[in-house]
Amino acid sequence: LSDSHATAVDTAESHPQLRHHFADMEQQKNTASLGMWLFLVTEIMFFGGLFCAYLIYRLMYFPAFGAASQTLDIKLGAFNTAVLLISSVTVVLAVRAAQDGNRKQLVAYLVLTVLLGLTFLGVKAIEYKEKFETHHVPGPTFHFDKPFDDNGKEIPVDPQHAQLFFSLYFAMTGMHALHMVIGCGLFTVLTVLAWKGHYSPGYYTPIENAGLYWHLVDIIWIYLFPLLYLISRHS
Amino acid sequence: MASAAIPAKPTNYLTNGFTIKSWLLTTDHKRIAILYLISITLFFFLGGFFAMLIRLELLTPQGDLLPADTYNKVFTMHGMIMVFFFLVPVVPAVLGNFLVPLMIGAKDLAFPRINLLSWYLYIAGGLLFLHCMLNGGVDTGWTFYTPFSTLTNTNFIEAGLAIFLAGFSSIFTGLNFIVTIHRMRAPGLTWSRLPLFIWAHYATSLVMILGTPVIAITIVLVAVERLFHLGIFDPKLGGDPLLFQHLFWFYSHPAVYIMILPSMGIMSELITAFSHKRIFGYKFVALSSIAIAVFGFLVWAHHMFVTGMSLYAAMVFSFLSFLVGVPSAIKVFNWTATLYRGSITYATPMLYAFGFIGLFTIGGLTGLFLATLGIDVHVTDTYFVVAHFHYIMVGGQVMGFLGGMHFWWPKISGRLYPEGWAKLSALFVFVGFNLTFFPQFILGYMGMPRRYWQYPPEFQVLNVLSTAGASILAVGYLLPMIYFAWSLRYGPIAEANPWNAAGLEWKAASPPPTFNFDETPVVTWEAYNYDEIEPKELEAPVER
């Protein structure tokens, strides 16, 4: 059965979602979407500080960073990258379903997105656990064995510098995971509201804006993956 | 017209609900501005209290009033409160919040609930900071340089979190302003017709949303370094403390433009209104705000000339710092050119505007001294620097804020303030300010370092002058508090446009109704069309 809110025409004055200070739904939608884009700009600046710190230290201590990076599980990282890319597709499909007023599809895609997000976090937890077990977590118990090159010779790297890599690894992926957690919460709320028929082809801005947020978090991972996992993997 | 016995007074934003809840849960930008005004004023006087402690300690060469450690905490509290809880939010969150929608003919800001959220973030940050202060405070200086801030045994994490929250408050304010200015302008109000106050707030907001996230992540990094002993900035663990300074100043230098641009916007309104004249060179004044915001992001390392950074980088940063002088000078010249052949009224806001021009010019020119590599090396970390930035921040932002508060007080409160007292306080502020901070230029040039609780006896005369000036300044700041509060009850009722000023905000009632305008205005005129407004006598308001 069709969604009760998905009326054929959304007249400007009568729309229940129009807030008092806007002239019409179009102005409201444009305003919300500009606000979201600007928020994403602040997010980029926020992560920018981390990326800047990472790049400087990677330049300063490249051998140690390369050696430390080798200890990350490239398969799990690649799997997670794929999971996030697929979740971006489901978000786009959710927006599309909202535009079409297809409530069932909308709910399905939103649920799928949340599940993919949780999958990512689960894999991340496994990776973190492995780091704890191998004493790669910075702190008093930190331990890093000097790596060997192709000829079996020990590469002289300072464990302190490897520890710096792991510091940045946890700071960056941790901050990213925090954004994923927020995103999963956000999409859970949207799922409930979508289930209740809150959205219609005339009003789906929250879905669209949450989608923008999700894409940004994805893109950040797209940069994190090669920067953290793929240093000197050329052998 | 209905012939009721008592004509119903139209409700305005102040009379629309009297319960505490109607204030604490309001989404009306004007009420949120009042909430900010009250909370920011409290922080101003708290920061001022610490300033007085500093000045009293420096009255004598010996460290007799405060022990050295306490003195460190006192100047840290003074700096952090004044920068993060007063100077950054004061104009945007109070006057900007109140005026941006009014000036562009909108009913409210684009995101009224986020606006309220940003006040709550400010309050949460403020309370956390107070808690930290009452539990011993922090002794890192407001710049919390590493590795000291990761090693100090005072509770930096709590103070850092407080600043983090206040930072997000200003990010949301800036975001709200940019979206509002883009999307909520009244029909006909094109970009070239916007008041310059709006341009200045647009530029400020750009700095807020681009710079503040960087200080936020920097605070997070310092906090995790303290908590988990990560080695991001600590050289013992392979980190680089210079990286901290770069990240810190990447925000904190542009942030000084957050602490001057909004007042520059106020200046353009005051100068035009009280010389009853169009602004000279509208486009240049408007774009110079944007230019200051853009250049402001390219000069941060001039705070770090003595850190041993590359000399070539230092030369580039020095040159770029000089460039900021150009748009700033454009503004000063255009304001003075606006005065030329204007019909000038010496009302209190105009006195503050004149004060601003003089003090900002001194502050700006000494900024050029500091951008010069050789002189900077000589005066780094001396009172010369302290005097310079107080001339910009206090002489600029606070003078502008007070001028603006007097100018828009009739709009905000619906009452007129007592002009005589106001002029007296403007005089106190100007004299007190100069007496406080001019001697500090000389002290710094003679070599008195900042952040010391004692000094050689030959510096005492100038320090006594400075402390005396601070006392006069304090009176100058307390007076407006008293007569503004007095005028709420006893001040003459203000009409909609008591200054005969241009600008949409004066077309709304005083105080404005909750949704500002009964009908969305249609703008067909340029900003500051004073040649189309009949001048009228603006002498002392008549009691009625």
Side-chain angles (χ1 to χ4, degrees):
Chain A
L1 290 173
S2 75
D3 191 299
S4 59
H5 280 265
T7 45
V9 187
D10 286 306
T11 47
E13 285 77 15
S14 67
H15 199 286
Q17 305 290 356
L18 180 67
R19 294 188 27 89
H20 68 85
H21 55 304
F22 293 110
D24 51 38
M25 285 304 278
E26 197 195 343
Q27 188 194 18
Q28 176 168 317
K29 184 171 188 303
N30 289 340
T31 305
S33 104
L34 180 62
M36 194 63 206
W37 279 105
L38 282 175
F39 178 71
L40 298 188
V41 170
T42 70
E43 287 280 30
I44 288 172
M45 296 306 292
F46 189 75
F47 276 96
L50 280 171
F51 277 96
C52 168
Y54 170 82
L55 289 173
I56 285 169
Y57 289 130
R58 174 181 158 148
L59 217 62
M60 284 164 72
Y61 310 130
F62 186 78
F65 269 47
S69 160
Q70 304 272 349
T71 69
L72 298 180
D73 191 329
I74 196 167
K75 287 198 191 99
L76 289 180
F79 175 76
N80 255 351
T81 310
V83 167
L84 279 195
L85 285 175
I86 296 169
S87 79
S88 261
V89 176
T90 57
V91 164
V92 173
L93 291 171
V95 174
R96 174 62 191 265
Q99 282 170 336
D100 293 346
N102 189 333
R103 191 174 61 124
K104 268 188 188 159
Q105 266 192 26
L106 172 61
V107 171
Y109 285 127
L110 290 175
V111 169
L112 213 52
T113 308
V114 175
L115 289 179
L116 287 165
L118 293 175
T119 310
F120 175 93
L121 288 169
V123 172
K124 204 75 227 153
I126 295 171
E127 287 188 78
Y128 278 2
K129 181 167 168 282
E130 193 264 343
K131 289 285 139 223
F132 272 97
E133 284 164 359
T134 51
H135 295 287
H136 283 161
V137 178
T141 61
F142 180 80
H143 178 76
F144 189 72
D145 289 320
K146 290 209 167 82
F148 297 95
D149 66 10
D150 300 340
N151 307 324
K153 234 178 82 188
E154 202 178 62
I155 306 174
V157 297
D158 188 343
Q160 292 277 2
H161 298 160
Q163 184 172 343
L164 194 55
F165 173 86
F166 288 110
S167 298
L168 286 161
Y169 167 80
F170 279 105
M172 294 167 94
T173 57
M175 195 55 77
H176 178 262
L178 179 66
H179 279 77
M180 291 289 300
V181 171
I182 293 169
C184 286
L186 200 64
F187 272 86
T188 310
V189 174
L190 290 182
T191 310
V192 174
L193 290 176
W195 179 257
K196 289 184 180 162
H198 206 65
Y199 305 110
S200 64
Y203 176 69
Y204 58 90
T205 322
I207 309 268
E208 199 175 59
N209 282 346
L212 284 174
Y213 171 83
W214 192 268
H215 291 315
L216 180 91
V217 178
D218 277 9
I219 290 172
I220 289 168
W221 179 258
I222 299 296
Y223 281 91
L224 286 180
F225 176 58
L227 283 178
L228 294 169
Y229 288 73
L230 304 183
I231 309 179
S232 49
R233 293 269 188 180
H234 43 71
S235 52
Chain B
M1 289 283 152
S3 56
I6 306 158
K9 262 171 98 178
T11 52
N12 58 51
Y13 81 100
L14 290 170
T15 55
N16 184 17
F18 295 95
T19 57
I20 293 196
K21 192 179 153 203
S22 76
W23 280 91
L24 292 184
L25 293 179
T26 183
T27 52
D28 181 350
H29 65 103
K30 298 179 291 299
R31 284 193 161 207
I32 295 171
I34 300 295
L35 293 176
Y36 264 119
L37 176 64
I38 295 166
S39 34
I40 284 178
T41 306
L42 290 177
F43 274 100
F44 175 67
F45 282 103
L46 189 62
F49 166 74
F50 285 113
M52 284 320 289
L53 282 183
I54 295 174
R55 283 318 321 162
L56 284 175
E57 167 59 52
L58 294 179
L59 197 57
T60 55
Q62 305 81 25
D64 37 17
L65 179 67
L66 304 168
D69 286 343
T70 311
Y71 184 78
N72 289 349
K73 289 178 180 172
V74 165
F75 73 68
T76 303
M77 294 296 107
H78 167 70
M80 284 184 171
I81 290 173
M82 286 303 202
V83 169
F84 298 111
F85 295 97
F86 173 68
L87 284 163
V88 166
V90 61
V91 178
V94 178
L95 289 174
N97 236 328
F98 196 95
L99 292 167
V100 166
L102 276 168
M103 282 184 166
I104 64 172
K107 289 199 181 91
D108 207 321
L109 285 173
F111 307 114
R113 285 178 294 194
I114 291 181
N115 195 21
L116 182 65
L117 171 70
S118 79
W119 181 71
Y120 275 104
L121 284 173
Y122 174 84
I123 289 298
L127 290 178
L128 201 60
F129 195 85
L130 287 181
H131 180 262
C132 172
M133 193 184 86
L134 294 174
N135 284 286
V138 189
D139 62 353
T140 57
W142 80 275
T143 50
F144 54 94
Y145 273 13
T146 55
F148 183 65
S149 57
T150 54
L151 298 174
T152 172
N153 53 15
T154 55
N155 191 359
F156 173 73
I157 292 183
E158 196 176 11
L161 186 61
I163 294 167
F164 183 90
L165 290 173
F168 270 86
S169 155
S170 73
I171 288 177
F172 287 138
T173 303
L175 192 149
N176 226 333
F177 283 173
I178 293 186
V179 177
T180 305
I181 295 167
H182 270 281
R183 293 282 189 249
M184 312 287 286
R185 301 192 310 274
L189 190 54
T190 58
W191 285 89
S192 56
R193 288 175 181 169
L194 282 177
L196 292 161
F197 183 89
I198 299 292
W199 276 99
H201 273 73
Y202 189 85
T204 310
S205 306
L206 282 180
V207 179
M208 282 173 162
I209 68 161
L210 292 177
T212 320
V214 179
I215 193 79
I217 192 68
T218 312
I219 290 171
V220 170
L221 288 176
V222 175
V224 295
E225 178 158 322
R226 272 185 79 95
L227 277 177
F228 307 118
H229 302 285
L230 305 190
I232 294 169
F233 301 123
D234 188 347
K236 271 209 317 257
L237 302 171
D240 186 351
L242 268 195
L243 177 66
F244 170 85
Q245 294 188 23
H246 278 292
L247 289 175
F248 177 81
W249 288 114
F250 181 84
Y251 162 75
S252 294
H253 190 75
V256 309
Y257 300 110
I258 300 177
M259 304 178 224
I260 189 69
L261 274 167
S263 275
M264 290 173 156
I266 294 173
M267 282 294 294
S268 300
E269 305 295 320
L270 300 186
I271 297 275
T272 48
F274 293 102
S275 34
H276 206 81
K277 199 161 156 267
R278 226 176 250 276
I279 190 95
F280 180 85
Y282 172 91
K283 273 192 181 141
F284 277 85
V285 182
L287 293 178
S288 63
S289 289
I290 306 293
I292 288 174
V294 172
F295 289 159
F297 273 106
L298 306 175
V299 299
W300 74 88
H302 65 213
H303 295 268
M304 303 164 54
F305 284 158
V306 295
T307 56
M309 62 187 276
S310 142
L311 182 63
Y312 297 103
M315 281 160 67
V316 171
F317 277 111
S318 168
F319 174 73
L320 288 169
S321 306
F322 274 96
L323 277 189
V324 184
V326 176
S328 312
I330 286 175
K331 282 186 186 291
V332 172
F333 285 125
N334 283 26
W335 291 325
T336 39
T338 306
L339 296 174
Y340 179 65
R341 303 196 69 169
S343 40
I344 293 174
T345 320
Y346 294 95
T348 311
M350 190 60 153
L351 297 184
Y352 278 107
F354 285 141
F356 178 102
I357 292 183
L359 301 182
F360 175 72
T361 304
I362 296 176
L365 289 176
T366 50
L368 295 182
F369 292 21
L370 291 167
T372 314
L373 284 171
I375 297 180
D376 184 71
V377 171
H378 178 63
V379 295
T380 286
D381 276 341
T382 67
Y383 262 88
F384 192 88
V385 177
V386 175
H388 155 70
F389 70 72
H390 279 89
Y391 263 80
I392 299 283
M393 292 176 180
V394 187
Q397 183 87 321
V398 182
M399 292 293 266
F401 176 66
L402 284 174
M405 276 306 292
H406 286 86
F407 185 51
W408 284 293
W409 185 250
K411 185 57 61 188
I412 294 171
S413 68
R415 301 282 181 153
L416 300 174
Y417 59 83
E419 188 68 29
W421 282 102
K423 281 184 170 148
L424 186 69
S425 87
L427 185 72
F428 274 167
V429 168
F430 186 77
V431 172
F433 177 84
N434 280 300
L435 193 56
T436 310
F437 292 106
F438 202 85
Q440 297 185 4
F441 276 126
I442 306 167
L443 279 169
Y445 197 76
M446 295 191 329
M448 177 166 162
R450 63 194 286 202
R451 296 178 169 173
Y452 278 68
W453 82 116
Q454 53 189 12
Y455 52 84
E458 58 264 35
F459 291 148
Q460 190 173 12
V461 174
L462 289 166
N463 271 303
V464 168
L465 283 179
S466 183
T467 302
S471 316
I472 299 174
L473 192 56
V475 175
Y477 287 149
L478 281 167
L479 270 178
M481 278 276 291
I482 297 165
Y483 61 71
F484 277 149
W486 174 88
S487 77
L488 282 178
R489 196 175 177 91
Y490 304 105
I493 305 278
E495 47 188 307
N497 189 357
W499 306 113
N500 202 22
L504 277 180
E505 77 269 29
W506 300 109
K507 298 198 188 308
S510 295
T514 299
F515 293 138
N516 297 344
F517 300 97
D518 300 330
E519 237 174 85
T520 303
V522 177
V523 180
T524 55
W525 57 88
E526 309 281 306
Y528 315 114
N529 54 336
Y530 280 101
D531 38 357
E532 294 161 20
I533 300 174
E534 281 299 306
K536 79 170 184 188
E537 211 49 45
L538 274 186
E539 279 316 305
V542 193
E543 300 278 340
R544 62 191 83 170

